[in-house]
Amino acid sequence: MLESGHDECAEHAEEQKGLLTDEKQKLSIGKANFEKIYFPSLLVAHVTATLLVILIFTWMMSYNAEDSQKQGFSWDSKSPKVFNWHPVFMTTGFCFCTTQAVLSYALPLPKLVNKMLHLIWHTLAWIFSAVSPLFVS
């Protein structure tokens, strides 16, 4: 009886080893698939955020194309063109800078450098977002 219990334990241990090996294989396959899509996904995120800012800027340049007094940008607070800065600054802050802040952890740099880049990008996002309401008159 003692031997059969020992045999059962040995069989159970062998079965567990097989399961662990299968799990390790699954994890290594999953990791390989993750690495294949991770960096292209980073590229898509960077390009999308950059393209969004460019598109908003272009749109605001030609916004109200029929009314040349509202077309383009101006820093003069009495000009109707000053509002056109608002969407550009909001998009730059919330979409571009925040995306860069999140993705800064993916850089192959020392952790402290990644943290500082993360802080800088979030600070820029806050500045753009805080300044943006000033253009709404």
Side-chain angles (χ1 to χ4, degrees):
M1 179 149 187
L2 188 58
E3 287 179 21
S4 67
H6 180 69
D7 290 341
E8 286 177 18
C9 284
E11 286 176 19
H12 184 67
E14 287 299 317
E15 185 179 308
Q16 290 291 50
K17 278 185 187 177
L19 289 175
L20 288 176
T21 304
D22 288 344
E23 288 299 316
K24 286 181 183 177
Q25 287 174 345
K26 287 178 186 176
L27 286 174
S28 66
I29 290 170
K31 186 176 180 181
N33 287 338
F34 174 76
E35 288 173 355
K36 284 181 187 176
I37 65 168
Y38 183 68
F39 290 107
S41 298
L42 284 178
L43 181 64
V44 168
H46 284 293
V47 169
T48 303
T50 305
L51 188 60
L52 184 60
V53 172
I54 291 169
L55 289 173
I56 293 291
F57 186 82
T58 305
W59 177 38
M60 289 295 107
M61 283 293 291
S62 62
Y63 182 67
N64 288 326
E66 66 279 351
D67 187 359
S68 62
Q69 289 185 343
K70 291 184 180 180
Q71 190 176 5
F73 297 96
S74 174
W75 294 107
D76 181 20
S77 63
K78 293 179 179 40
S79 173
K81 295 177 185 181
V82 76
F83 174 79
N84 293 347
W85 284 112
H86 176 73
V88 173
F89 272 52
M90 291 299 280
T91 305
T92 302
F94 283 119
C95 297
F96 181 77
C97 292
T98 304
T99 299
Q100 302 308 316
V102 171
L103 297 178
S104 67
Y105 276 109
L107 298 174
L109 299 171
K111 188 174 182 178
L112 183 61
V113 174
N114 284 348
K115 282 185 171 189
M116 292 309 294
L117 287 171
H118 184 75
L119 174 69
I120 290 166
W121 280 113
H122 270 301
T123 302
L124 286 171
W126 183 85
I127 290 169
F128 274 108
S129 303
V131 170
S132 180
L134 300 174
F135 300 122
V136 180
S137 48

